[in-house]
Each structure stands twice: as C-alpha cells, then as structure tokens.
Amino acid sequence: MSAPTFDLGYLHGGLRMPRRKDKSNKQPIAHVPVPQQLIIPITQHVGDPAHVVVGIGERVLKGQLIAESDGPISAPVHASSSGKVVAIEPWPVSRRLGGNAPCIVIECDGEDRAIELSEAITPFTSMDQETLFQKILQGGIVGLGGAVFPTAQKLMHASITPLEHLVLNGIECEPYITCDDMLMREQADEVLGGAQILMHALGVEHCFVAVESDKPEAIHAIADVMTELQDDRIAIKQIPTIYPSGAEDQTVQLVTNKEVPTGGLPTDVGCVVQNVGTSAAVYRWICKGEPLISRVTTVTGDGIAAPMNVFARIGTTVADIINFVGGYTENVHHLVIGGPMTGKSVTTDRVPLVKATNCILVMSDEEQFGNEQPCIRCGDCASVCPVQLLPQQLFWYACADNEEKLRSYGLMDCIECGCCDLVCPSHIPLTADFRMAKARMRELADEVARAERARLRYEFHTQRLDREQLLRAQQLEAQKQAAREGGSKAITDILERTSKKDDQDP
Ligand code: SF4
Ligand code: SF4
C-alpha cells in the first residue's frame, strides 16, 4: 500500500488513502447459489446469544426462526435456506478476538423452500411505534455497517430522546470495500423504502443519506428514487472521501456539523445513524416478509481471481463464496474478514459469512505491511487520530497494562479505525493492542460488576435470614403471650405486624 496523505479538512486527523475499490465495483452484484451446508452462528450481534429453538435432525425452511432473541440486547437468527439441522456445535468464526462459537449446521436440500408468513404483510404506516419496534426485532435485523447492534433496541433507545435527523450511512470509507456502494446503485429503492419505515418508527421528519462524493453512480441512483418517491423529507449529503468519515460520530459531525460528546451517542445531538444495508434489510423484512438471512459482501484483494460483490446467504462458508468468484490467485498471503483497517485476519476459509461480514479480503505479499520496530516517537499517529488521542502514549500504557492511565488517556474513545497503524513508520500494530486492552478492561469491569452483584445478594440473604429469625422469635413470643392471655387476637396482631416486608430481593 503506498504512503497515505494527511488531510485535516472537515475532521481532525483522518487519512486520504488508496481506495482500491475499482477492483470490485465494475460488475453487478452476483448471487451465490445455495451451498451444501450452512454454518449459522447463534451470536451474530452485540449482546446476549440467541437461544436455539431447533433440534438436531429437525427439518427447517428458509426464513424459519432457529434461535430466538434472549435478553434485553439480543437478536433472533433464521435459517437461510431449507434443509436438515445436522449439528449444533462450536465452529471457527471470524470474531474480533478469534476462536470458535456455537453454530447451527444445516445440510441444505437445495430446494430453498421458504416458510409461509405467519401473518399478512401490513403497511408500516398503519403500525404504531411499539408494534414496529417489535416487528423489526423479530426480523433479526442488526446494524450491517459493522457494529451489529440489534436495530430494534437501538431504535427503542433512540426513541426516548428528542430526535431531529435520521442519518443513513452510505459512507464506505475503508479501502477495497464496495458492498454499500453497489447496494445503493442497484437497490436504492429498498434503501430509501427502509428510510421511510425508520423515520415512521422514530417519528423523525428528516433524513440525510450520506454518500462520499466519489460514488457518483450511487448518488444518481439515490437521487432517481428520491424523484420517484417525491418525499422531500429525504436529502442527499455528499461527504469528502477521508478515512474514517464513515465512523458513526464522524459521520454525524460531517453531516450535521454537530459534535457527539466524548463518551456520548449520536442521540445526544438529536441523530440516529443507520447503515444503508440495515435500512434495505428493514424494508425487505417489513414490506416483503424476508428476515435478515442474506447480505451483500465484497470479495476482493490481489489474492482473488475475479473480485466482485455477491449476495450470499448468512452461513455460507467463505470457501464456498471464494470458489463462486473463481477461487484464489497464486499470490495469496492472508485472509481478512472485513476491510484492511478494521478487519480481522483469519487462518481458515471455513468460517461462515455472518451478518457483520461486509468484506472478504485476500491480500497478496505486496499488500503487506513491514515488520514491527520500536516506537521512534515521531508523533505521526497522533496527527491522524480522528478522536484526538495520543496513540503512542496509549501504546506505552497498554504494554504496561496500566488501566488507570489508559482510561485517563481516553482509550475507551478509540474507534479502532486503524489510521495510527497505517502511518506508523515502525509498523506497530497499535489498533490490535488497543482492541485487546479494551477487551481486558471490559472483562475486568464485568468481573467487578459480578462481584458487586454477588456481594449485594449475600448481604440481602443475610438480612433476610436475620429477619426470619426475628420473625420466628416474635411468633414464639406471641404464642407464649396468647397462651398466657388465653386468646388468639394477640397472635394475629403480631403475625400481621411482623410479616410485613420492607424491601425486595435484588
Ligand atoms: S485506532 Fe484509535 S488511536 Fe488509532 S487513530 Fe484510530 S481512534 Fe485514534
Ligand atoms: S507513529 Fe509509530 S513510531 Fe511514530 S510515535 Fe506513533 S507509535 Fe511511535
């Protein structure tokens, strides 16, 4: 990758970097056929894993619920084609910290038979807010821009604050990735149809579709549909092509000129951001009854014979998708799920496509970075950081495992954009170190919270035992008193008085 240039225009820091997008955006989106086997992880979202509701040997249909949402932040999972459940077992997946995850394995029958809808499709305009949130939740829709936060819960949370704008994020600032660009070119009607549903759900009267100015075809396609819809609540906002302008807070700033406060959310400045793919997924579920069982993903890099965008079923293995696009070239170095800046390297192509997979990147030797060297304190990393952090200091404290300093230097504000990695002349994998340090800190915080809950439970348990002991003593005393007085009224009075509870078990 040639040296990127600095740009201090609209955002602090950021990079103009080689786009490498024309490898994959020259042909229409192709459809990957039904594979022999689907490997569907039960956790493809932020939050609690979904709860499996099918058994081994059970036949399932396309669109059938196979794992239900389980917890305040969770999303259901559906079968992406028809067939038989042959296993529910751990399988290698592409996750930020690697490893295996429980998956439902479906042997496809090739018939691709869809389940009948349990209810007729209702126009979204006749649904109230709560009904629409619940409906979106049932469709398994999650943020397809990479965050995979369950969409229904995000909307519910947003709806309790005063809102001004829905921002549809069509900014695809990371090199190589073109799936949102191609989706907007080919399915702008679904993207904007979804925007109308989301505006109705949130009760907002304005929507910006944010698109980078180097995507003229997408801009034209969106503009054409806007003309057809005659919906003057929707406007296009062209954004300069600077990485990471597509990060949520940066998008809000570029579109509305409002800065999301540190540690805050776009809702703090009256905005809700949804990826254009999420918007199209909402449309397909609400207006066509198709839950989130497939997505567009970019298959690209010098290691891919014929780079392109494909529509593939969730659970199709990366190996099957790469075979479909003509296989590998001879110049393969390694496989990344996601883009070169925020993606995750994997060591096997047996991993399945999941809701978060926006790109399958196969890099060649020439596309590699150099070997890691000690930090020379040049400060380049700080000058490109879009959230104005000091990556060299964070790196120092991450190595020392100094949680207090990491917090005070704002590690939790790092958006893991990878800009600092890219400019570092010492090739230090700063972002990977920050990601691991954040995970360690979250784990620690979880442990502290768990210990606190256990302490509260113990204290309450002890208090309850004390209360019960006191109650028994009072009852005994009442019986003795009644025996002395020869009447039962005293017992009743005391029992009533002592059986009153003054608090609840946490
Ligand atoms: S990865 Fe984090 S520290 Fe590095 S440039 Fe991006 S936001 Fe800043
Ligand atoms: S860019 Fe790399 S070498 Fe320069 S200060 Fe940052 S971490 Fe150190």
Side-chain angles (χ1 to χ4, degrees):
M1 196 173 274
S2 58
T5 56
F6 297 83
D7 192 302
L8 304 175
Y10 290 80
L11 290 177
H12 176 89
L15 294 167
R16 277 194 197 281
M17 57 173 72
R19 309 287 285 159
R20 305 208 171 174
K21 291 181 184 267
D22 51 2
K23 281 180 187 294
S24 59
N25 65 3
K26 296 286 177 244
Q27 52 278 318
I29 302 171
H31 287 250
V32 180
V34 179
Q36 285 189 342
Q37 207 174 47
L38 289 162
I39 318 293
I40 306 181
I42 59 169
T43 309
Q44 300 183 47
H45 49 265
V46 169
D48 298 315
H51 173 71
V52 178
V53 294
V54 288
I56 295 172
E58 195 171 324
R59 296 217 151 262
V60 292
L61 296 170
K62 180 164 94 171
Q64 182 177 332
L65 180 77
I66 53 174
E68 65 188 7
S69 161
D70 191 19
I73 299 186
S74 184
V77 178
H78 302 80
S80 331
S81 189
S82 57
K84 189 165 95 175
V85 176
V86 292
I88 300 169
E89 61 188 13
W91 194 275
V93 291
S94 137
R95 287 204 300 199
R96 297 228 136 181
L97 299 173
N100 292 358
C103 292
I104 299 170
V105 183
I106 298 173
E107 205 71 61
C108 299
D109 56 20
E111 294 175 21
D112 207 27
R113 275 177 303 136
I115 193 165
E116 271 183 34
L117 294 178
S118 57
E119 53 193 62
I121 289 174
T122 317
F124 71 87
T125 43
S126 66
M127 290 189 220
D128 63 27
Q129 189 179 56
E130 189 49 39
T131 313
L132 205 39
F133 288 159
Q134 287 307 323
K135 185 78 186 160
I136 291 171
L137 176 64
Q138 289 160 13
I141 318 283
V142 300
L144 297 185
V148 285
F149 196 91
T151 302
Q153 282 98 338
K154 184 172 177 176
L155 297 175
M156 283 178 209
H157 177 266
S159 68
I160 56 177
T161 54
L163 295 171
E164 244 184 288
H165 308 291
L166 168 69
V167 179
L168 278 200
N169 192 345
I171 304 170
E172 204 166 39
C173 53
E174 198 164 344
Y176 288 97
I177 308 175
T178 56
C179 59
D180 287 345
D181 181 12
M182 294 306 296
L183 181 81
M184 286 186 285
R185 292 189 203 187
E186 295 190 13
Q187 291 167 7
D189 54 339
E190 296 194 347
V191 172
L192 294 194
Q196 291 179 315
I197 298 169
L198 292 167
M199 280 194 284
H200 180 71
L202 291 165
V204 295
E205 285 302 320
H206 192 255
C207 169
F208 284 117
V209 187
V211 189
E212 286 157 300
S213 49
D214 70 344
K215 295 189 174 80
E217 295 91 343
I219 291 170
H220 280 130
I222 295 280
D224 285 349
V225 176
M226 277 168 56
T227 310
E228 278 168 35
L229 289 177
Q230 293 287 307
D231 187 342
D232 57 10
R233 298 173 305 163
I234 303 175
I236 300 178
K237 187 91 177 182
Q238 292 194 41
I239 300 298
T241 52
I242 302 167
Y243 181 82
S245 54
E248 200 167 79
D249 294 357
Q250 283 64 27
T251 301
V252 169
Q253 182 164 4
L254 287 163
V255 169
T256 65
N257 219 11
K258 291 178 183 167
E259 194 170 338
V260 178
T262 301
L265 292 170
T267 47
D268 295 334
V269 290
C271 295
V272 178
V273 184
Q274 292 288 345
N275 170 264
V276 287
T278 315
S279 180
V282 167
Y283 175 84
R284 280 197 295 277
W285 170 234
I286 300 294
C287 299
K288 296 183 174 174
E290 183 189 310
L292 182 50
I293 54 171
S294 57
R295 68 158 295 151
V296 185
T297 192
T298 306
V299 192
T300 189
D302 285 351
I304 290 289
M308 65 174 80
N309 280 278
V310 296
F311 226 114
R313 286 166 179 76
I314 304 297
T316 310
T317 62
V318 165
D320 282 340
I321 295 172
I322 290 177
N323 276 341
F324 172 74
V325 301
Y328 296 102
T329 62
E330 287 180 357
N331 194 11
V332 171
H333 188 277
H334 76 270
L335 172 61
V336 177
I337 303 298
M341 308 296 286
T342 59
K344 169 85 180 76
S345 290
V346 287
T347 52
T348 171
D349 59 10
R350 291 169 67 230
V351 295
L353 177 101
V354 293
K355 294 174 184 177
T357 312
N358 57 357
C359 184
I360 296 166
L361 175 61
V362 182
M363 299 182 95
S364 66
D365 294 336
E366 292 84 56
E367 290 168 302
Q368 298 311 301
F369 300 115
N371 290 332
E372 183 178 341
Q373 302 290 326
C375 172
I376 55 168
R377 300 245 153 211
C378 63
D380 286 356
C381 50
S383 56
V384 295
C385 178
V387 273
Q388 306 185 44
L389 301 176
L390 295 172
Q392 74 275 34
Q393 292 298 120
L394 287 172
F395 173 64
W396 182 259
Y397 293 125
C399 292
D401 221 356
N402 188 333
E403 192 189 328
E404 198 187 324
K405 287 284 187 191
L406 285 170
R407 276 198 196 283
S408 65
Y409 275 80
L411 176 68
M412 297 320 265
D413 291 335
C414 167
I415 58 171
E416 300 174 18
C417 65
C419 284
C420 49
D421 286 20
L422 201 65
V423 296
C424 176
S426 297
H427 306 296
I428 300 171
L430 297 157
T431 314
D433 287 332
F434 300 159
R435 203 172 278 154
M436 270 157 46
K438 282 165 81 176
R440 276 198 305 272
M441 283 161 67
R442 277 194 210 105
E443 233 168 68
L444 208 65
D446 283 353
E447 260 173 43
V448 171
R450 270 198 300 275
E452 178 61 12
R453 279 200 299 276
R455 186 187 68 74
L456 281 174
R457 265 200 307 275
Y458 174 76
E459 278 182 7
F460 194 85
H461 179 69
T462 316
Q463 284 167 8
R464 195 174 58 204
L465 288 182
D466 290 348
R467 266 200 319 274
E468 283 170 2
Q469 206 174 8
L470 180 67
L471 179 65
R472 275 197 299 276
Q474 287 174 328
Q475 284 171 340
L476 194 61
E477 180 54 34
Q479 283 165 356
K480 283 181 189 167
Q481 195 180 336
R484 280 196 298 273
E485 293 172 0
S488 62
K489 184 169 181 314
I491 299 180
T492 316
D493 286 351
I494 293 170
L495 285 181
E496 267 181 12
R497 201 170 61 241
T498 55
S499 64
K500 276 186 188 152
K501 290 188 173 155
D502 54 357
D503 50 6
Q504 297 292 316
D505 192 328

